[in-house]
Short mmCIF file of all heavy atoms in Angstrom, two decimals:
data_model
loop_
_atom_site.label_atom_id
_atom_site.label_comp_id
_atom_site.label_asym_id
_atom_site.label_seq_id
_atom_site.Cartn_x
_atom_site.Cartn_y
_atom_site.Cartn_z
N LEU H 841 -5.79 3.74 -2.54
CA LEU H 841 -5.26 2.55 -1.90
C LEU H 841 -5.60 2.60 -0.41
O LEU H 841 -5.82 3.68 0.13
CB LEU H 841 -3.75 2.49 -2.09
CG LEU H 841 -3.29 2.53 -3.55
CD1 LEU H 841 -1.83 2.92 -3.65
CD2 LEU H 841 -3.54 1.19 -4.20
N ASP H 842 -5.61 1.45 0.24
CA ASP H 842 -5.82 1.46 1.69
C ASP H 842 -4.61 2.06 2.39
O ASP H 842 -4.74 2.96 3.20
CB ASP H 842 -6.08 0.04 2.21
CG ASP H 842 -7.46 -0.46 1.83
OD1 ASP H 842 -8.35 0.37 1.57
OD2 ASP H 842 -7.65 -1.69 1.80
N VAL H 843 -3.44 1.54 2.09
CA VAL H 843 -2.21 2.04 2.72
C VAL H 843 -1.12 2.08 1.67
O VAL H 843 -0.94 1.13 0.90
CB VAL H 843 -1.75 1.14 3.89
CG1 VAL H 843 -0.46 1.64 4.51
CG2 VAL H 843 -2.84 1.03 4.96
N LYS H 844 -0.39 3.17 1.65
CA LYS H 844 0.75 3.33 0.74
C LYS H 844 1.89 3.91 1.56
O LYS H 844 1.71 4.92 2.25
CB LYS H 844 0.38 4.26 -0.41
CG LYS H 844 1.41 4.37 -1.50
CD LYS H 844 0.85 5.24 -2.64
CE LYS H 844 1.80 5.37 -3.80
NZ LYS H 844 1.24 6.22 -4.87
N ALA H 845 3.04 3.26 1.52
CA ALA H 845 4.18 3.71 2.32
C ALA H 845 5.47 3.58 1.53
O ALA H 845 5.58 2.72 0.65
CB ALA H 845 4.27 2.90 3.61
N VAL H 846 6.43 4.42 1.86
CA VAL H 846 7.76 4.33 1.28
C VAL H 846 8.71 3.90 2.40
O VAL H 846 8.76 4.52 3.46
CB VAL H 846 8.21 5.68 0.68
CG1 VAL H 846 9.64 5.59 0.17
CG2 VAL H 846 7.27 6.11 -0.44
N LEU H 847 9.42 2.79 2.15
CA LEU H 847 10.35 2.25 3.14
C LEU H 847 11.66 3.04 3.13
O LEU H 847 11.94 3.81 2.23
CB LEU H 847 10.64 0.78 2.84
CG LEU H 847 9.41 -0.13 2.73
CD1 LEU H 847 9.85 -1.56 2.46
CD2 LEU H 847 8.55 -0.04 3.97
N ASP H 848 12.49 2.78 4.13
CA ASP H 848 13.75 3.49 4.22
C ASP H 848 14.72 3.15 3.08
O ASP H 848 15.66 3.90 2.82
CB ASP H 848 14.42 3.30 5.59
CG ASP H 848 14.44 1.87 6.08
OD1 ASP H 848 14.10 0.95 5.30
OD2 ASP H 848 14.79 1.66 7.24
N ASP H 849 14.47 2.07 2.35
CA ASP H 849 15.30 1.76 1.17
C ASP H 849 14.68 2.30 -0.12
O ASP H 849 15.09 1.96 -1.21
CB ASP H 849 15.56 0.26 1.06
CG ASP H 849 14.31 -0.54 0.69
OD1 ASP H 849 13.21 0.04 0.59
OD2 ASP H 849 14.44 -1.76 0.50
N GLU H 850 13.64 3.13 0.01
CA GLU H 850 12.92 3.78 -1.08
C GLU H 850 11.97 2.86 -1.85
O GLU H 850 11.41 3.27 -2.86
CB GLU H 850 13.88 4.51 -2.04
CG GLU H 850 14.66 5.62 -1.36
CD GLU H 850 15.55 6.36 -2.33
OE1 GLU H 850 15.24 6.43 -3.53
OE2 GLU H 850 16.58 6.88 -1.87
N SER H 851 11.77 1.64 -1.39
CA SER H 851 10.75 0.77 -1.97
C SER H 851 9.38 1.31 -1.56
O SER H 851 9.23 1.87 -0.48
CB SER H 851 10.87 -0.66 -1.45
OG SER H 851 12.11 -1.22 -1.78
N THR H 852 8.40 1.11 -2.42
CA THR H 852 7.03 1.50 -2.09
C THR H 852 6.23 0.24 -1.79
O THR H 852 6.37 -0.77 -2.47
CB THR H 852 6.37 2.24 -3.28
OG1 THR H 852 7.14 3.40 -3.58
CG2 THR H 852 4.95 2.66 -2.95
N VAL H 853 5.42 0.30 -0.74
CA VAL H 853 4.59 -0.82 -0.35
C VAL H 853 3.13 -0.39 -0.42
O VAL H 853 2.75 0.65 0.09
CB VAL H 853 4.91 -1.31 1.08
CG1 VAL H 853 3.99 -2.44 1.49
CG2 VAL H 853 6.36 -1.75 1.18
N LEU H 854 2.32 -1.21 -1.09
CA LEU H 854 0.87 -1.01 -1.17
C LEU H 854 0.21 -2.11 -0.35
O LEU H 854 0.54 -3.29 -0.52
CB LEU H 854 0.39 -1.12 -2.63
CG LEU H 854 1.16 -0.34 -3.68
CD1 LEU H 854 0.60 -0.63 -5.07
CD2 LEU H 854 1.14 1.15 -3.39
N VAL H 855 -0.68 -1.74 0.55
CA VAL H 855 -1.38 -2.72 1.37
C VAL H 855 -2.88 -2.53 1.12
O VAL H 855 -3.39 -1.43 1.28
CB VAL H 855 -1.07 -2.55 2.87
CG1 VAL H 855 -1.76 -3.63 3.69
CG2 VAL H 855 0.44 -2.56 3.12
N GLU H 856 -3.55 -3.60 0.70
CA GLU H 856 -4.97 -3.56 0.38
C GLU H 856 -5.72 -4.64 1.14
O GLU H 856 -5.27 -5.78 1.20
CB GLU H 856 -5.19 -3.78 -1.12
CG GLU H 856 -4.86 -2.59 -1.98
CD GLU H 856 -5.88 -1.48 -1.85
OE1 GLU H 856 -7.09 -1.72 -2.06
OE2 GLU H 856 -5.46 -0.37 -1.51
N MET H 857 -6.86 -4.28 1.71
CA MET H 857 -7.76 -5.23 2.36
C MET H 857 -9.09 -5.17 1.62
O MET H 857 -9.64 -4.09 1.42
CB MET H 857 -7.95 -4.85 3.82
CG MET H 857 -9.12 -5.55 4.50
SD MET H 857 -8.91 -7.31 4.69
CE MET H 857 -7.92 -7.37 6.17
N GLN H 858 -9.58 -6.33 1.22
CA GLN H 858 -10.88 -6.40 0.52
C GLN H 858 -11.72 -7.45 1.22
O GLN H 858 -11.37 -8.63 1.19
CB GLN H 858 -10.67 -6.75 -0.96
CG GLN H 858 -11.94 -6.83 -1.75
CD GLN H 858 -12.62 -5.48 -1.89
OE1 GLN H 858 -11.98 -4.49 -2.19
NE2 GLN H 858 -13.91 -5.45 -1.66
N VAL H 859 -12.80 -7.05 1.86
CA VAL H 859 -13.65 -7.98 2.60
C VAL H 859 -14.66 -8.65 1.67
O VAL H 859 -14.87 -9.85 1.74
CB VAL H 859 -14.36 -7.26 3.76
CG1 VAL H 859 -15.33 -8.20 4.45
CG2 VAL H 859 -13.34 -6.74 4.76
N LEU H 860 -15.28 -7.87 0.80
CA LEU H 860 -16.29 -8.42 -0.11
C LEU H 860 -15.62 -9.06 -1.32
O LEU H 860 -14.57 -8.60 -1.78
CB LEU H 860 -17.24 -7.32 -0.57
CG LEU H 860 -18.03 -6.62 0.52
CD1 LEU H 860 -18.82 -5.46 -0.08
CD2 LEU H 860 -18.94 -7.58 1.24
N ASN H 861 -16.23 -10.11 -1.83
CA ASN H 861 -15.72 -10.72 -3.06
C ASN H 861 -15.98 -9.77 -4.23
O ASN H 861 -17.11 -9.39 -4.49
CB ASN H 861 -16.40 -12.06 -3.33
CG ASN H 861 -15.90 -13.14 -2.41
OD1 ASN H 861 -14.77 -13.10 -1.96
ND2 ASN H 861 -16.75 -14.10 -2.12
N VAL H 862 -14.92 -9.39 -4.89
CA VAL H 862 -15.01 -8.51 -6.04
C VAL H 862 -14.30 -9.22 -7.18
O VAL H 862 -13.12 -9.57 -7.07
CB VAL H 862 -14.33 -7.15 -5.76
CG1 VAL H 862 -14.35 -6.26 -6.98
CG2 VAL H 862 -14.99 -6.45 -4.58
N ASP H 863 -15.02 -9.45 -8.28
CA ASP H 863 -14.47 -10.22 -9.39
C ASP H 863 -13.15 -9.66 -9.91
O ASP H 863 -12.24 -10.38 -10.23
CB ASP H 863 -15.47 -10.29 -10.55
CG ASP H 863 -16.65 -11.20 -10.23
OD1 ASP H 863 -16.51 -12.08 -9.35
OD2 ASP H 863 -17.70 -11.02 -10.86
N ALA H 864 -13.04 -8.37 -9.98
CA ALA H 864 -11.87 -7.75 -10.61
C ALA H 864 -10.81 -7.34 -9.59
O ALA H 864 -9.92 -6.56 -9.91
CB ALA H 864 -12.31 -6.54 -11.43
N PHE H 865 -10.86 -7.87 -8.36
CA PHE H 865 -9.90 -7.45 -7.34
C PHE H 865 -8.46 -7.70 -7.78
O PHE H 865 -7.60 -6.83 -7.64
CB PHE H 865 -10.17 -8.16 -6.00
CG PHE H 865 -9.23 -7.74 -4.91
CD1 PHE H 865 -9.29 -6.46 -4.38
CD2 PHE H 865 -8.28 -8.62 -4.40
CE1 PHE H 865 -8.43 -6.06 -3.37
CE2 PHE H 865 -7.41 -8.23 -3.40
CZ PHE H 865 -7.49 -6.95 -2.88
N GLY H 866 -8.17 -8.86 -8.33
CA GLY H 866 -6.82 -9.17 -8.79
C GLY H 866 -6.35 -8.20 -9.86
O GLY H 866 -5.20 -7.74 -9.84
N LYS H 867 -7.23 -7.86 -10.76
CA LYS H 867 -6.88 -6.90 -11.82
C LYS H 867 -6.65 -5.51 -11.23
O LYS H 867 -5.76 -4.78 -11.66
CB LYS H 867 -7.98 -6.85 -12.88
CG LYS H 867 -8.03 -8.11 -13.71
CD LYS H 867 -9.12 -8.04 -14.75
CE LYS H 867 -9.11 -9.31 -15.59
NZ LYS H 867 -10.08 -9.28 -16.67
N ARG H 868 -7.46 -5.14 -10.23
CA ARG H 868 -7.27 -3.85 -9.58
C ARG H 868 -5.91 -3.76 -8.89
O ARG H 868 -5.22 -2.76 -8.97
CB ARG H 868 -8.40 -3.60 -8.57
CG ARG H 868 -8.36 -2.19 -7.99
CD ARG H 868 -9.55 -1.94 -7.10
NE ARG H 868 -9.24 -2.39 -5.76
CZ ARG H 868 -10.14 -2.66 -4.83
NH1 ARG H 868 -11.42 -2.58 -5.11
NH2 ARG H 868 -9.77 -3.03 -3.64
N VAL H 869 -5.51 -4.85 -8.24
CA VAL H 869 -4.20 -4.89 -7.57
C VAL H 869 -3.08 -4.72 -8.59
O VAL H 869 -2.16 -3.93 -8.39
CB VAL H 869 -4.04 -6.21 -6.78
CG1 VAL H 869 -2.61 -6.38 -6.30
CG2 VAL H 869 -5.01 -6.24 -5.62
N VAL H 870 -3.15 -5.46 -9.69
CA VAL H 870 -2.13 -5.36 -10.73
C VAL H 870 -2.09 -3.95 -11.32
O VAL H 870 -1.03 -3.38 -11.54
CB VAL H 870 -2.34 -6.42 -11.83
CG1 VAL H 870 -1.42 -6.20 -13.01
CG2 VAL H 870 -2.14 -7.82 -11.26
N TYR H 871 -3.25 -3.37 -11.56
CA TYR H 871 -3.34 -2.01 -12.09
C TYR H 871 -2.67 -1.01 -11.15
O TYR H 871 -1.84 -0.19 -11.57
CB TYR H 871 -4.81 -1.63 -12.31
CG TYR H 871 -5.01 -0.23 -12.82
CD1 TYR H 871 -4.79 0.09 -14.15
CD2 TYR H 871 -5.41 0.79 -11.96
CE1 TYR H 871 -4.96 1.38 -14.62
CE2 TYR H 871 -5.59 2.08 -12.42
CZ TYR H 871 -5.36 2.37 -13.75
OH TYR H 871 -5.54 3.65 -14.20
N ASN H 872 -3.01 -1.07 -9.85
CA ASN H 872 -2.41 -0.14 -8.89
C ASN H 872 -0.91 -0.35 -8.74
O ASN H 872 -0.15 0.61 -8.61
CB ASN H 872 -3.11 -0.26 -7.54
CG ASN H 872 -4.47 0.38 -7.54
OD1 ASN H 872 -4.69 1.38 -8.20
ND2 ASN H 872 -5.41 -0.20 -6.81
N LEU H 873 -0.49 -1.60 -8.79
CA LEU H 873 0.94 -1.90 -8.69
C LEU H 873 1.68 -1.36 -9.90
O LEU H 873 2.70 -0.68 -9.77
CB LEU H 873 1.14 -3.42 -8.58
CG LEU H 873 2.55 -3.92 -8.37
CD1 LEU H 873 3.06 -3.55 -7.00
CD2 LEU H 873 2.58 -5.43 -8.54
N ALA H 874 1.15 -1.61 -11.09
CA ALA H 874 1.80 -1.15 -12.32
C ALA H 874 1.81 0.38 -12.39
O ALA H 874 2.81 0.99 -12.81
CB ALA H 874 1.09 -1.73 -13.54
N LYS H 875 0.71 1.01 -11.98
CA LYS H 875 0.64 2.47 -12.03
C LYS H 875 1.62 3.09 -11.04
O LYS H 875 2.32 4.05 -11.38
CB LYS H 875 -0.79 2.93 -11.73
CG LYS H 875 -0.97 4.43 -11.93
CD LYS H 875 -2.41 4.86 -12.04
CE LYS H 875 -3.21 4.56 -10.83
NZ LYS H 875 -4.50 5.24 -10.81
N THR H 876 1.71 2.54 -9.86
CA THR H 876 2.65 3.05 -8.86
C THR H 876 4.08 2.88 -9.36
O THR H 876 4.92 3.79 -9.21
CB THR H 876 2.46 2.33 -7.52
OG1 THR H 876 1.12 2.53 -7.08
CG2 THR H 876 3.42 2.84 -6.47
N TYR H 877 4.37 1.75 -9.97
CA TYR H 877 5.71 1.49 -10.51
C TYR H 877 6.04 2.45 -11.65
O TYR H 877 7.09 3.09 -11.67
CB TYR H 877 5.79 0.04 -10.98
CG TYR H 877 7.19 -0.44 -11.28
CD1 TYR H 877 8.13 -0.58 -10.27
CD2 TYR H 877 7.57 -0.76 -12.58
CE1 TYR H 877 9.42 -1.02 -10.55
CE2 TYR H 877 8.84 -1.22 -12.86
CZ TYR H 877 9.76 -1.34 -11.84
OH TYR H 877 11.03 -1.78 -12.13
N SER H 878 5.13 2.60 -12.59
CA SER H 878 5.42 3.42 -13.77
C SER H 878 5.42 4.91 -13.47
O SER H 878 6.11 5.68 -14.15
CB SER H 878 4.42 3.11 -14.89
OG SER H 878 3.12 3.49 -14.51
N ASN H 879 4.68 5.35 -12.45
CA ASN H 879 4.66 6.77 -12.10
C ASN H 879 5.98 7.26 -11.50
O ASN H 879 6.14 8.46 -11.29
CB ASN H 879 3.51 7.08 -11.13
CG ASN H 879 2.20 7.27 -11.83
OD1 ASN H 879 2.12 7.50 -13.03
ND2 ASN H 879 1.12 7.18 -11.07
N GLN H 880 6.92 6.36 -11.24
CA GLN H 880 8.22 6.77 -10.71
C GLN H 880 9.07 7.50 -11.75
O GLN H 880 9.92 8.30 -11.40
CB GLN H 880 9.02 5.56 -10.23
CG GLN H 880 8.43 4.83 -9.06
CD GLN H 880 9.30 3.65 -8.69
OE1 GLN H 880 10.50 3.78 -8.50
NE2 GLN H 880 8.68 2.49 -8.61
N LEU H 881 8.85 7.19 -13.02
CA LEU H 881 9.71 7.73 -14.07
C LEU H 881 9.07 8.94 -14.74
O LEU H 881 7.87 8.97 -14.99
CB LEU H 881 9.99 6.67 -15.14
CG LEU H 881 10.82 5.47 -14.72
CD1 LEU H 881 11.03 4.55 -15.91
CD2 LEU H 881 12.15 5.89 -14.12
N SER H 882 9.91 9.89 -15.06
CA SER H 882 9.47 11.01 -15.89
C SER H 882 10.26 10.95 -17.19
O SER H 882 11.21 10.17 -17.32
CB SER H 882 9.69 12.34 -15.16
OG SER H 882 11.04 12.48 -14.78
N SER H 883 9.89 11.76 -18.13
CA SER H 883 10.55 11.77 -19.42
C SER H 883 12.07 11.94 -19.25
O SER H 883 12.52 12.82 -18.51
CB SER H 883 9.99 12.91 -20.27
OG SER H 883 10.59 12.92 -21.53
N GLY H 884 12.81 11.08 -19.88
CA GLY H 884 14.27 11.15 -19.82
C GLY H 884 14.90 10.38 -18.67
O GLY H 884 16.11 10.25 -18.60
N SER H 885 14.08 9.86 -17.75
CA SER H 885 14.61 9.09 -16.62
C SER H 885 15.05 7.71 -17.09
O SER H 885 14.42 7.11 -17.96
CB SER H 885 13.55 8.91 -15.53
OG SER H 885 13.15 10.13 -15.01
N GLY H 886 16.10 7.20 -16.48
CA GLY H 886 16.57 5.87 -16.81
C GLY H 886 15.84 4.80 -16.01
O GLY H 886 15.44 5.03 -14.87
N TYR H 887 15.67 3.64 -16.60
CA TYR H 887 14.99 2.54 -15.93
C TYR H 887 15.72 2.08 -14.68
O TYR H 887 15.12 1.54 -13.75
CB TYR H 887 14.80 1.35 -16.88
CG TYR H 887 13.86 1.67 -18.02
CD1 TYR H 887 14.34 1.86 -19.31
CD2 TYR H 887 12.50 1.79 -17.80
CE1 TYR H 887 13.48 2.17 -20.35
CE2 TYR H 887 11.63 2.09 -18.84
CZ TYR H 887 12.13 2.28 -20.11
OH TYR H 887 11.28 2.59 -21.13
N SER H 888 17.02 2.32 -14.62
CA SER H 888 17.80 1.89 -13.45
C SER H 888 17.40 2.66 -12.19
O SER H 888 17.71 2.22 -11.08
CB SER H 888 19.30 2.06 -13.71
OG SER H 888 19.60 3.43 -13.96
N SER H 889 16.70 3.77 -12.33
CA SER H 889 16.28 4.53 -11.15
C SER H 889 14.98 4.01 -10.54
O SER H 889 14.56 4.49 -9.49
CB SER H 889 16.13 6.02 -11.50
OG SER H 889 15.10 6.21 -12.44
N LEU H 890 14.34 3.02 -11.18
CA LEU H 890 13.11 2.44 -10.63
C LEU H 890 13.40 1.72 -9.32
O LEU H 890 14.36 0.98 -9.21
CB LEU H 890 12.48 1.46 -11.62
CG LEU H 890 11.79 2.07 -12.83
CD1 LEU H 890 11.49 1.00 -13.87
CD2 LEU H 890 10.52 2.79 -12.41
N LYS H 891 12.55 1.97 -8.34
CA LYS H 891 12.63 1.31 -7.03
C LYS H 891 11.55 0.24 -6.97
O LYS H 891 10.49 0.35 -7.62
CB LYS H 891 12.42 2.32 -5.90
CG LYS H 891 13.39 3.47 -5.91
CD LYS H 891 14.80 2.99 -5.65
CE LYS H 891 15.76 4.17 -5.65
NZ LYS H 891 17.12 3.77 -5.69
N PRO H 892 11.74 -0.80 -6.17
CA PRO H 892 10.74 -1.86 -6.07
C PRO H 892 9.40 -1.35 -5.55
O PRO H 892 9.36 -0.41 -4.76
CB PRO H 892 11.35 -2.85 -5.07
CG PRO H 892 12.80 -2.58 -5.09
CD PRO H 892 12.94 -1.10 -5.38
N VAL H 893 8.34 -1.96 -6.01
CA VAL H 893 6.99 -1.74 -5.48
C VAL H 893 6.45 -3.09 -5.07
O VAL H 893 6.46 -4.04 -5.85
CB VAL H 893 6.07 -1.07 -6.53
CG1 VAL H 893 4.66 -0.90 -5.96
CG2 VAL H 893 6.62 0.28 -6.97
N ILE H 894 6.00 -3.18 -3.82
CA ILE H 894 5.54 -4.45 -3.25
C ILE H 894 4.05 -4.29 -2.92
O ILE H 894 3.66 -3.27 -2.32
CB ILE H 894 6.31 -4.78 -1.97
CG1 ILE H 894 7.82 -4.81 -2.25
CG2 ILE H 894 5.83 -6.09 -1.34
CD1 ILE H 894 8.68 -4.76 -1.00
#
Side-chain angles (χ1 to χ4, degrees):
L841 303 161
D842 287 337
V843 179
K844 187 175 182 181
V846 176
L847 305 181
D848 46 9
D849 70 356
E850 298 182 28
S851 299
T852 301
V853 177
L854 312 177
V855 183
E856 284 287 305
M857 166 67 82
Q858 181 67 46
V859 175
L860 300 174
N861 285 331
V862 177
D863 289 337
F865 181 69
K867 290 180 178 184
R868 187 175 87 199
V869 169
V870 171
Y871 178 78
N872 286 325
L873 184 69
K875 187 163 62 166
T876 301
Y877 192 67
S878 65
N879 278 342
Q880 294 179 52
L881 294 181
S882 56
S883 181
S885 298
Y887 294 107
S888 61
S889 64
L890 286 167
K891 303 294 181 193
V893 178
I894 304 165

